[in-house]
Amino acid sequence: MTVHIRLLNENDPVIISKAFQEQGWGRLPEQYTHYLAEQQNGDRVTLVAELNGEFAGYVNVLWHSKYPSFREQGIPEINDFNVLIKFQRQGIGSRLMDRAEEVISERTDVAGIGVGVFTDYGKAQVLYAHRGYIPDGHGVHRHDHYIQPGEETIMDDDVVLYLTKKLRGIQ
């Protein structure tokens, strides 16, 4: 089993979109074309994992997070982390996370990540905890604000708990 991690390139948008559509996740090539443009502008790094030459997953590093606390503190955000279902539980996600943390550690000593709060995100919640990520202390966030006690909200993919991890330091 050979896992290769590399930067997103111009051939990837169609390949990635097709792979996710085949497993029932609607992802359009334009999403990845946008990622490529932002990578070329220096706003993000998109890391792609291949297993034996086949696309297996990807993760982004956003240098300027949209999450207010990370943005204010200059904490890069690990974002949109996905491994195809058929490649999960094979260490590919851990390899992607290792590389994303390495990329971040070249600039700063703290990484941030957001995770959904309901059961669909259970595997990710456990992975992040095992990797040393802890809640940032601001509670749950949705769209443009923190959810307040007694507030009603729709529990969907936009309800996120943000976590941080102290990295070993700038390499």
Side-chain angles (χ1 to χ4, degrees):
M1 176 171 90
T2 303
V3 177
H4 178 66
I5 309 291
R6 62 171 175 76
L7 292 175
L8 181 74
N9 67 44
E10 62 279 347
N11 298 319
D12 289 325
V14 170
I15 293 167
I16 294 171
S17 174
K18 183 175 185 245
F20 281 110
Q21 288 178 12
E22 285 173 356
Q23 73 176 21
W25 296 4
R27 304 283 173 93
L28 298 176
E30 291 78 16
Q31 175 178 342
Y32 305 104
T33 302
H34 175 76
Y35 288 178
L36 184 60
E38 286 192 350
Q39 179 173 269
Q40 292 167 339
N41 291 340
D43 294 328
R44 97 172 43 225
V45 173
T46 302
L47 302 168
V48 173
E50 295 174 325
L51 177 62
N52 300 324
E54 183 179 354
F55 169 75
Y58 71 93
V59 68
N60 293 293
V61 172
L62 303 179
W63 294 118
H64 309 286
S65 175
K66 292 179 180 171
Y67 174 60
S69 180
F70 290 176
R71 186 175 55 248
E72 291 163 10
Q73 297 177 68
I75 297 173
E77 180 184 339
I78 296 173
N79 171 272
D80 197 19
F81 172 44
N82 288 283
V83 175
L84 290 173
I85 293 167
K86 67 182 179 179
F87 293 125
Q88 291 178 3
R89 311 287 308 158
Q90 297 181 47
I92 294 165
S94 291
R95 293 277 304 275
L96 279 166
M97 288 290 291
D98 289 345
R99 186 66 188 114
E101 290 172 0
E102 287 173 17
V103 166
I104 290 170
S105 72
E106 293 171 3
R107 293 194 189 187
T108 186
D109 64 349
V110 177
I113 195 164
V115 66
V117 296
F118 54 92
T119 191
D120 288 358
Y121 293 95
K123 289 180 192 174
Q125 293 165 359
V126 171
L127 173 66
Y128 303 157
H130 281 293
R131 294 187 66 86
Y133 285 86
I134 60 171
D136 73 349
H138 293 286
V140 179
H141 191 267
R142 185 168 195 267
H143 294 301
D144 60 351
H145 72 282
Y146 297 99
I147 305 299
Q148 300 301 311
E151 179 180 344
E152 292 186 20
T153 192
I154 295 171
M155 293 300 291
D156 60 11
D157 293 337
D158 296 325
V159 178
V160 178
L161 180 65
Y162 284 89
L163 315 167
T164 59
K165 177 181 177 179
K166 177 85 167 147
L167 304 174
R168 290 188 199 128
I170 297 175
Q171 307 278 322

